[in-house]
């Protein structure tokens, strides 16, 4: 396998060096007749998709500079954008496997690998959707619209201001939120939709982490709830992708996850230290919008008058920044 992978990588390089010929366009050949003069075969839809996917990956790879992903540009670099091995490294996949993908080979691609490729290639939401569509896979990221988030529910979230409120699912994806919640723990508007997940943020986002008064206790509770909820979703790509991402991104998560803890509900009062308005004491309540495994509206009501005043200030700051 190693020899085969090396041969393919070298042949791909040769096609682009010495002769000055560009890479293949990725379009499947469709002549009117075949080599024997007979009618050309009809190209299967799956093959067309593979070639489209290969061309799309090449085009995205070639537009990214090494500096954009934290790599050092060598003096003799001739490849436009990233090299195949660099994309493979950033995505944590094999070079041979990724080469096959760009050569439109008939191989299986998991949603988890597609998620890694989308992040490595800095795809926006539309490009990410196109990637999964070409691959015939379901996107595990929470960037898609949830049917539970109706205009009426968004209006209700706005009406609760200045009290922070959001809608989450059992995987801790933040599906919708009002302006006060958007500034409670970090500037949530500045976070990419696919990263708006309470577990991801609490383990990796510095502002979010600094806003939680007792971070270890929150981690213990959230991770235990996530483990309990995941028991009913072990085979689902979105859940496995989130678990894999957390394990790859945070040694702290790996340590907590390895304890296999199951803990009860936390106390109703949460304590946050907002960078703009100070310490907040909030009473937390969940309102389920459907079955217990589905979305829920999470609300935070001030536990004292000082917190109420600070929430009003926080909302005023949010309005001043967004203008709406």
């Amino acid at each position: 396998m190693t020899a085969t992978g090396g041969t393919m990588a070298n042949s791909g390089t040769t096609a682009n060096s010495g002769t000055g010929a560009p890479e293949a366009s990725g379009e499947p050949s469709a002549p009117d007749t075949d080599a024997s003069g007979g009618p050309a075969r009809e190209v299967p839809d799956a093959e067309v998709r593979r070639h489209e996917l290969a061309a799309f990956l090449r085009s995205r790879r070639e537009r990214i500079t090494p500096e954009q992903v934290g790599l050092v540009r060598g003096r003799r670099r001739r490849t436009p954008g990233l090299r195949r091995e660099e994309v493979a490294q950033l995505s944590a996949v094999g070079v041979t496997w990724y080469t096959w993908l760009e050569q439109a080979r008939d191989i299986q691609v998991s949603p988890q690998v597609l998620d890694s490729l989308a992040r490595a290639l800095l795809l926006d939401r539309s490009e990410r959707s196109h990637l999964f569509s070409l691959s015939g896979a379901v996107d595990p990221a929470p960037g898609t619209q949830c049917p539970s988030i109706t205009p009426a529910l968004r209006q209700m979230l706005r009406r609760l201001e200045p009290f922070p409120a959001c809608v989450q699912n059992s995987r801790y994806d933040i599906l919708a939120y009002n302006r006060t919640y958007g500034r409670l723990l970090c500037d949530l508007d500045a976070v990419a939709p696919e990263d708006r997940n309470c577990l991801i943020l609490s383990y990796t986002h510095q502002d979010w982490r600094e806003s939680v008064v007792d971070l270890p206790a929150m981690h213990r509770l959230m991770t235990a709830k996530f483990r309990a909820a995941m028991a009913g979703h072990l085979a689902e790509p979105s859940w496995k992708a989130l678990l894999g991402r957390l394990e790859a991104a945070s040694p702290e998560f790996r340590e907590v996850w390895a304890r296999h803890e199951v803990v009860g509900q936390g106390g109703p009062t949460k304590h946050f230290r907002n960078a703009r308005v100070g310490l907040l004491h909030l009473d937390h309540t969940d309102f389920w919008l459907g079955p217990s495994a589905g979305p829920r509206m999470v609300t935070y009501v001030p536990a004292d008058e000082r917190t109420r005043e600070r929430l009003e200030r926080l909302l005023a700051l949010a309005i001043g920044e967004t203008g709406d």
Side-chain angles (χ1 to χ4, degrees):
M1 177 61 72
T2 303
T4 303
T7 301
M8 290 191 315
N10 290 337
S11 64
T13 303
T14 302
N16 289 311
S17 60
T19 64
E23 286 186 338
S25 65
E27 297 291 340
S29 177
D32 295 331
T33 59
D34 62 16
S36 63
R41 69 180 180 88
E42 183 178 349
V43 180
D45 180 67
E47 184 176 343
V48 174
R49 282 178 171 271
R50 290 198 305 272
H51 281 270
E52 288 290 337
L53 176 61
F56 179 67
L57 289 173
R58 281 196 298 272
S59 70
R60 300 304 90 178
R61 169 171 63 85
E62 291 173 354
R63 73 173 183 175
I64 301 174
T65 65
E67 292 83 0
Q68 284 180 279
V69 292
L71 298 177
V72 178
R73 178 185 294 273
R75 293 183 177 180
R76 299 184 178 181
R77 174 180 291 269
R78 296 180 180 178
T79 304
L82 298 178
R83 300 186 177 99
R84 284 173 175 168
E85 56 266 29
E86 291 170 335
V87 175
Q89 176 187 350
L90 292 168
S91 308
V93 300
V95 178
T96 299
W97 185 91
Y98 180 75
T99 301
W100 283 350
L101 200 58
E102 280 204 6
Q103 291 177 342
R105 299 288 189 95
D106 187 5
I107 58 176
Q108 295 297 316
V109 189
S110 71
Q112 294 92 327
V113 169
L114 291 172
D115 178 72
S116 296
L117 287 173
R119 295 178 190 281
L121 294 171
L122 307 179
L123 302 187
D124 62 25
R125 184 184 295 191
S126 297
E127 292 168 333
R128 181 187 177 95
S129 176
H130 186 60
L131 173 69
F132 277 85
S133 177
L134 289 175
S135 304
V138 177
D139 189 348
T144 54
Q145 292 293 326
C146 174
S148 299
I149 310 301
T150 62
L153 182 55
R154 291 187 184 278
Q155 184 176 359
M156 184 180 297
L157 289 173
R158 182 65 69 96
R159 283 291 188 177
L160 287 171
E161 293 173 344
F163 299 166
C166 70
V167 178
Q168 299 177 14
N169 59 19
S170 55
R171 204 171 53 231
Y172 286 107
D173 298 328
I174 302 171
L175 307 176
Y177 55 91
N178 63 16
R179 292 173 294 186
T180 320
Y181 186 87
R183 297 296 187 275
L184 180 64
L185 295 157
C186 70
D187 183 357
L188 201 54
D189 293 341
V191 176
E194 62 268 21
D195 294 335
R196 292 175 189 163
N197 176 280
C198 294
L199 279 167
I200 293 291
L201 292 168
S202 70
Y203 277 105
T204 66
H205 195 287
Q206 190 61 34
D207 290 347
W208 185 287
R209 292 167 60 84
E210 291 177 354
S211 298
V212 179
V213 172
D214 191 349
L215 189 61
M218 175 176 280
H219 280 166
R220 184 181 178 193
L221 177 63
M222 290 176 63
T223 305
K225 286 184 176 180
F226 176 61
R227 179 181 288 280
M230 190 171 179
H233 305 272
L234 292 175
E236 294 183 23
S238 59
W239 288 75
K240 293 192 292 185
L242 176 56
L243 176 59
R245 184 179 174 190
L246 285 163
E247 289 179 324
S250 173
E252 189 177 0
F253 172 82
R254 294 197 297 271
E255 179 184 347
V256 177
W257 184 254
R259 298 174 190 168
H260 289 263
E261 288 186 322
V262 178
V263 299
Q265 295 290 328
T269 303
K270 308 295 181 183
H271 308 283
F272 302 127
R273 185 177 293 106
N274 186 272
R276 302 186 179 188
V277 299
L279 188 63
L280 300 169
H281 305 288
L282 300 166
D283 289 332
H284 163 269
T285 306
D286 285 338
F287 297 95
W288 296 98
L289 304 179
S292 59
R296 65 187 184 277
M297 184 162 63
V298 182
T299 64
Y300 295 92
V301 176
D304 54 53
E305 187 60 29
R306 177 169 290 184
T307 295
R308 180 187 297 272
E309 294 171 355
R310 290 176 174 175
L311 286 179
E312 292 174 351
R313 286 170 49 201
L314 185 60
L315 175 60
L317 289 170
I319 294 174
E321 293 174 351
T322 60
D324 56 343

